[in-house]
Amino acid sequence: MNTQPTVTAERESAMLATVPTGLLIDGHWRPAASGKTFDIEDPATGKVLLSIADAGPEDAASALDAAASAQDSWAKVSPRERGEILRRAFEIVTARAEDFALLMTLEMGKPLEEARGEVTYGAEFLRWFSEEAVRAFGRYSVSPDGKSRMLVTKKPVGPCLLITPWNFPLAMATRKIAPAVAAGCTMVLKSANLTPLTSQLFAAVMVEAGLPAGVLNVIPTSTAGATTGPLIKDSRLRKLSFTGSTEVGRRLLADASETVLRTSMELGGNAPFVVFEDADVDAAVAGAMLAKLRNMGEACTAANRFIVHESVAQEFAKKFAAKMAEMTTARGTQAESKVGPLIDAKSRDKVHELVTDAVRDGAVLIMGGAPVEGPGYFYQPTLLLDVREGTRILSEEIFGPVAPIITFVTEDEAVRLANNTDYGLVAYVFTKDLNRGLRMGERLETGMLGLNAGVISNAAAPFGGVKQSGLGREGGLEGIEEYLYTQYIGIADPYAS
Ligand SMILES: NC(=O)c1ccc[n+]([C@@H]2O[C@H](COP(=O)([O-])OP(=O)(O)OC[C@H]3O[C@@H](n4cnc5c(N)ncnc54)[C@H](O)[C@@H]3O)[C@@H](O)[C@H]2O)c1
Ligand SMILES: O=CCCC(=O)O
């Protein structure tokens, strides 16, 4: 339970005063070439928190110049030293956890308790990759015919463009920056236009931790496409790592094809949450609360479709509704807040449209179903039962605190419903039958599966999807590979005279 007091306005101002407002280019904080700035708003009040430099194409070109110039020397820095910079960054972020948590709550809206959880999660990528930096091993072997030797090495891919979303302002940045630093790549970070402040503060931490000038360049902008478009076509750029919607990812993939740019794509999801008749229903409800209400449902991993066996659907819905009713909707800095605002009016309107459409299509509204009156973009936690197959809410990312339930009878039907989507990021399965759980792992078309678990994100695990949920993996042993390329050196027989 959150026992912290509500945050004062003085504390908010004091913390905001520590956030750099410029662009970070070649180790210096500077204004945009155009002199333009843009405002970052608090989604709970609509008030402006800070105005920051608004990068344009000229600034993006300077950022890539800096990254390209720093690449050779940075690649020569020893893996141990790169790891130690990350470890120092981990210590600094951890020491400033309260500042980072408050900043995320202010610019993104999540309750402070959840923001603290994200600081731990986001910092863990720094610690994990500080340890992985020294493990980018290659191999030496004798060729099958014995007549030559094969040396296989790993090298940094080179300057990267990293593009992050607004929903996890720290973790989505550290999940890219930490492996890139560990691998020896330089970077241009285009932070999310709605929540760039956390990246600003994090970049200051990386400088304090000793990252050399030019390795990380940060260009917040209100004009994403126009600013980063030219970089994607610049042959000095060697990698694009994007986290965001499938729609934008698809467009960036098309742009990246021009220079055959290497890409990682962490895209949208439509997670099925399957509850079998043999599940522990209380455990399934606890998992559902996490999978649905974490981050107000604004997570790519959010359970988007509750596929529940018809024999337990009423019990599950009743208990789920009772838990949802305990969630207080309030600005994330309020001590009692459990559900913060959605990110903006457009997102809230879309959530409401999906709910209205589902009810029109025959779904039963158990609770919620409307925006919260007053300032900010709050939406009531909402539960819908008997949602009809084919209803729009089952095929689109809801990105809000809304849980639609659809029922099934056989395991085959559950599999068919779960796989009936273009996405394939994560699925959740609740059952006491281990064989059934493992079978579901084999049958579900997703990159990740939560078995009797409502959150499985972990810096030590490979995060990523299949189908239109993306390409590549972040975190785990796999995460650093996205920033390395393999070079093979064929060596003549050392015994030949
Ligand atoms: N798979 C994952 O790991 C993961 C994690 C978090 C969020 N997401 C997905 O992200 C989406 C929510 O985030 P969002 O609304 O910020 O997504 P978005 O696609 O609108 O934006 C993502 C980022 O791309 C930038 N962008 C938008 N248009 C661009 C363009 N033409 N060129 C270059 N950059 C551009 C945005 O400014 C932002 O920084 C959801 O679909 C969610 O599922 C996926
Ligand atoms: O929004 C998607 C990211 C969620 C996570 O990393 O747990």
Side-chain angles (χ1 to χ4, degrees):
M1 207 181 87
N2 186 3
T3 53
Q4 302 284 327
T6 295
V7 178
T8 63
E10 292 72 29
R11 162 82 180 113
E12 286 179 21
S13 307
M15 184 280 299
L16 284 172
T18 69
V19 178
T21 55
L23 313 176
L24 178 63
I25 297 179
D26 207 11
H28 300 286
W29 292 101
R30 57 196 220 198
S34 65
K36 286 188 187 157
T37 60
F38 68 116
D39 294 340
I40 311 308
E41 284 180 12
D42 176 345
T45 61
K47 291 192 182 137
V48 174
L49 296 166
L50 276 181
S51 296
I52 65 169
D54 191 356
E58 201 181 321
D59 302 299
S62 305
L64 184 56
D65 289 347
S69 311
Q71 181 58 59
D72 280 352
S73 57
W74 177 236
K76 290 192 187 102
V77 169
S78 74
R80 177 68 73 205
E81 205 174 322
R82 295 200 298 262
E84 278 166 1
I85 291 170
L86 288 173
R87 179 68 202 205
R88 281 196 293 277
F90 167 76
E91 306 289 353
I92 300 168
V93 169
T94 304
R96 291 195 67 184
E98 282 302 304
D99 284 348
F100 274 101
L102 178 56
L103 185 52
M104 282 193 278
T105 292
L106 293 184
E107 69 170 343
M108 187 273 167
K110 66 184 80 188
L112 255 184
E113 212 176 333
E114 281 205 50
R116 290 189 184 105
E118 183 178 344
V119 177
T120 306
Y121 175 47
E124 206 49 53
F125 289 101
L126 301 169
R127 178 155 63 176
W128 175 260
F129 285 109
S130 76
E131 293 158 352
E132 286 301 288
V134 294
R135 296 200 177 85
F137 301 131
R139 62 181 189 269
Y140 177 81
S141 62
V142 179
S143 65
D145 63 7
K147 292 183 183 155
S148 64
R149 299 296 177 263
M150 305 166 92
L151 181 63
V152 178
T153 59
K154 302 278 181 174
K155 298 170 78 172
V157 292
C160 305
L161 172 61
L162 312 178
I163 301 182
T164 52
W166 51 264
N167 62 342
F168 286 87
L170 181 64
M172 297 304 98
T174 56
R175 203 161 81 175
K176 295 186 190 306
I177 293 169
V181 166
C185 296
T186 59
M187 293 150 272
V188 176
L189 170 69
K190 205 297 284 170
S191 48
N193 57 323
L194 293 169
T195 61
L197 302 180
T198 305
S199 292
Q200 297 289 106
L201 190 59
F202 178 65
V205 166
M206 291 304 290
V207 172
E208 189 185 337
L211 196 70
V215 175
L216 173 64
N217 305 278
V218 184
I219 51 163
T221 176
S222 64
T223 53
T227 299
T228 60
L231 295 194
I232 296 175
K233 294 182 181 158
D234 190 314
S235 62
R236 292 173 301 164
L237 190 76
R238 297 299 162 80
K239 163 98 194 177
L240 166 64
S241 177
F242 171 78
T243 298
S245 61
T246 297
E247 188 193 344
V248 173
R250 191 179 288 120
R251 259 186 276 146
L252 295 180
L253 274 172
D255 293 347
S257 69
E258 273 194 39
T259 52
V260 195
L261 188 62
R262 196 168 150 176
T263 59
S264 297
M265 292 277 148
E266 295 285 347
L267 308 177
N270 180 7
F273 187 105
V274 183
V275 183
F276 281 100
E277 66 276 22
D278 62 1
D280 173 338
V281 174
D282 292 322
V285 168
M289 290 296 291
L290 290 171
K292 183 70 259 182
L293 289 175
R294 172 177 180 240
N295 226 41
M296 291 81 73
E298 293 173 315
C300 54
T301 48
N304 213 58
R305 296 168 293 149
F306 289 83
I307 301 172
V308 185
H309 193 273
E310 67 169 17
S311 66
V312 292
Q314 291 296 335
E315 180 190 357
F316 176 80
K318 192 165 159 232
K319 290 181 167 171
F320 195 8
K323 287 285 176 204
M324 271 193 172
E326 290 170 11
M327 304 296 278
T328 306
T329 300
R331 187 175 188 237
T333 50
Q334 298 291 124
E336 71 279 15
S337 174
K338 293 285 179 209
V339 181
L342 298 184
I343 190 69
D344 57 15
K346 191 170 144 226
S347 303
R348 184 174 70 171
D349 291 349
K350 187 200 163 188
V351 170
H352 191 48
E353 199 182 298
L354 289 174
V355 171
T356 313
D357 174 79
V359 172
R360 201 184 307 123
D361 223 16
V364 179
L365 184 65
I366 303 286
M367 65 177 291
V372 176
E373 300 269 320
Y377 311 117
F378 294 90
Y379 198 83
Q380 298 170 345
T382 297
L383 190 60
L384 295 164
L385 189 57
D386 294 335
V387 179
R388 292 231 309 265
E389 206 182 340
T391 299
R392 210 178 127 205
I393 201 166
L394 300 178
S395 59
E396 292 185 26
E397 260 190 314
I398 304 169
F399 249 55
V402 176
I405 300 178
I406 181 168
T407 57
F408 72 92
V409 178
T410 64
E411 186 177 308
D412 282 350
E413 195 185 354
V415 170
R416 183 187 63 75
L417 287 169
N419 284 339
N420 186 17
T421 170
D422 289 334
Y423 295 100
L425 189 59
V426 62
Y428 304 91
V429 170
F430 279 73
T431 174
K432 284 189 194 145
D433 179 344
L434 182 58
N435 279 336
R436 170 178 265 164
L438 294 175
R439 251 187 344 260
M440 291 298 280
E442 292 184 12
R443 299 182 74 186
L444 294 182
E445 298 164 350
T446 57
M448 302 178 285
L449 175 73
L451 188 50
N452 296 317
V455 179
I456 57 166
S457 306
N458 193 312
F463 187 106
V466 297
K467 294 159 81 176
Q468 295 188 27
S469 285
L471 304 166
R473 292 294 179 267
E474 291 192 320
L477 301 178
E478 291 80 358
I480 195 169
E481 295 292 335
E482 302 282 324
Y483 297 91
L484 294 168
Y485 74 89
T486 302
Q487 186 177 56
Y488 154 59
I489 300 177
I491 306 167
D493 185 352
Y495 292 97
S497 51

